[in-house]
Amino acid sequence: MLQSIRDNSQSIVAKIIVGLIIVTFALFGVESLVSLTSGSNAPASVNGQEIGEQELFRAVELQRRQILAQMGENADPAALDDNLIRTMVLDDLVEQSVLMQSAQEQGMAVSPQMIDSAIVGTPEFQLDGKFDRNQFEAVLRTVGLTPLTYRDYLRKETLIQQERAGYSLSAFVTDSQLEQLMQLDRQTRDLSYFELPIAPIRDAIEVDPSEVAQRYESQKSLYQTEEQVRIQYLLLDKADLAEGIEVTDAEMQGQYQQMLAGFASSEQRQAFHILVEINDDRDAAAAEAEAQDLRQQIEAGADFAALAQEHSDDPGSAAAGGDLGLNGRGVFVGPFEDALFALNEGEVSQPVRTEFGYHLIKLGRIEQTEPPSFESVQEELRQQLIDQKAESRYVEQLELLADLSFSSGTLAEPADELGLEIQTSEPFSRNGGSDAVTANSRVVTAAFSDELINDAVNSTPIELDAGRSVVIRVQEHLVPRQLELDEVAEEIRLELVDEKAAQRLDERVGELLARLRQGGTMSDVATEAGQPLNELTEVARTSQELAPEVRAELFRMPHPAADASSYGAVELASGGKAILALHAVHSPEAQALSDEEKRAMRGFLANRQGQQDYQDLVRALKGTAEIEIN
């Protein structure tokens, strides 16, 4: 889950945009303008540093949303194992903490100027080749970040990346290692081979009925049916309830008035701010004192925008005089938003404390959103009303379905009362069926419950998704039974045919290899086997002329002795086998490799070695860290 950031700030942003950053967001980029609090009973601690319940909760929730988004529209939250997600997320948070501590102990550091330069130079934050503050904020909002949290996230990830890069960039390979690896990589081989298909052998095999009966008796317990059930069910579908719902003009007008009321209460406020950051060089008291000093300058007539450009530690807004743009409620959180919406136009707040320092907030202008005309939203209002009525009817009928199903001995009464059709499924096992109802994990669990099987009762309503629910009843319980010989005779016969064919093929391959090793030629042996001989020279490891399994076996075979060949056999994907003869091995001379090829290979091998070294470091750090999981 922890998404490594490999190259530079651009790759970080690209990964944010496509949504690949999961746990890191939750750890560093969710709470933007409020202080983080951690509970006294932390879920874990790493070398005495706690991982709080709050940050773990946010990380788990964000991971759940990521998984559900990948599952699509019909995602079933109940199908997720929250305990498993929590365990995986906590493990990643522990690793993140270990890496941060290691980077700090190694003296890794990143200056505010480096972060500012990375942000300003990020293409995703630019319009027409220049950094654009509105674009910057818009991109971050799509992934739930603010400029301040993104800046902090970038700082921490850059620290970890520095140590990772230290290992990656300091790894090396010697000239002898490079030469050996290059020769192995560019090595080519000469071979000849022929295939022995299994189909003719299978066709010639006969199995006596007594063999089938003997196999059946010896493995009788294997030949049983699966436990299955057949269910009857009632499907309540909100989409069906929406059909035939009519909406009057008066209702749409009423909905429109509600919309107008919402617009009337909706406002956007233009916020300006100056951030005085709390960092290693400035503690909380010093930051607050500086913020108070800046506020006194503003009260004395200093220009807020000029002070923001000179003193604000927020790179996303400082160049624009601290302008954060027009935003409604919900964009900012906690004390920042409360202070902003308590101001009158032109007023400047007292210093407001957040996770990152102290803010001076100035309210620019207030804008009311203009409502659309009735005609432009009429169809939207109609659909909203239909959806509302359908939802209301769905909830009412779902409650009625639950009551009737509980009190009724069959599905007939609730079906008649609600006008639903009693449907019957095909038999299905504990692995689920092939349709949307019987494939649902909750339906399968209920169908195989002791209550429904033994007590012959209706289930409670089972939600398939947001708009569909079913009540099921087990119509037939098919317990596992012993299959008779005549039911599985053909299956057993085919098993025996396959076994005998494989055995005969192995024996034939052994005979042919023995002839080759006794001095026979590949041409004569292939002719004896009735198969065409294939001969190839200078086959490379990347060659597409051979089947992958044949090519792999070719490069596993030992070098042949002088004026001789090495022989081997390999199973083919078709079930047959191929007999190979390795005649010669060709390795390129070291001087035949260009300097450019050597540099490219050296860089690749060193980078791979560096990555392995860093992974070894991560394992060692986690192994020696004092990690407590509560």
Side-chain angles (χ1 to χ4, degrees), residues 180-205:
Q180 182 181 21
L181 290 169
M182 290 286 285
Q183 287 180 343
L184 286 173
D185 181 64
R186 302 299 176 86
Q187 184 186 96
T188 62
R189 298 190 170 199
D190 300 343
L191 85 154
S192 58
Y193 74 98
F194 61 89
E195 298 182 4
L196 293 174
I198 199 169
I201 299 177
R202 293 182 80 261
D203 294 342
I205 290 177

Side-chain angles (χ1 to χ4, degrees), residues 318-370:
D323 189 0
L324 296 174
L326 283 164
N327 295 282
R329 286 192 177 274
V331 175
F332 306 116
V333 293
F336 192 99
E337 182 174 286
D338 292 341
L340 175 63
F341 280 82
L343 295 173
N344 295 318
E345 290 188 12
E347 285 186 342
V348 177
S349 71
Q350 293 289 336
V352 177
R353 173 70 184 269
T354 71
E355 176 188 0
F356 302 101
Y358 283 88
H359 304 258
L360 293 178
I361 306 168
K362 178 181 177 180
L363 175 60
R365 67 184 189 277
I366 301 174
E367 289 189 1
Q368 298 290 339
T369 306
E370 291 295 327

Side-chain angles (χ1 to χ4, degrees), residues 201-226:
I201 299 177
R202 293 182 80 261
D203 294 342
I205 290 177
E206 294 184 0
V207 177
D208 190 272
S210 62
E211 295 179 272
V212 174
Q214 183 179 0
R215 172 62 63 87
Y216 173 76
E217 290 297 331
S218 65
Q219 299 182 355
K220 201 170 185 178
S221 61
L222 299 178
Y223 305 114
Q224 293 187 346
T225 62
E226 286 188 292

Side-chain angles (χ1 to χ4, degrees), residues 526-559:
T527 300
E528 178 185 341
Q531 300 298 326
L533 182 66
N534 303 285
E535 298 182 275
L536 298 172
T537 60
E538 297 187 351
V539 176
R541 294 179 186 273
T542 58
S543 173
Q544 301 300 312
E545 297 178 90
L546 293 174
E549 58 270 26
V550 176
R551 185 175 65 246
E553 179 63 23
L554 172 64
F555 282 90
R556 280 195 295 263
M557 295 173 66
H559 288 212

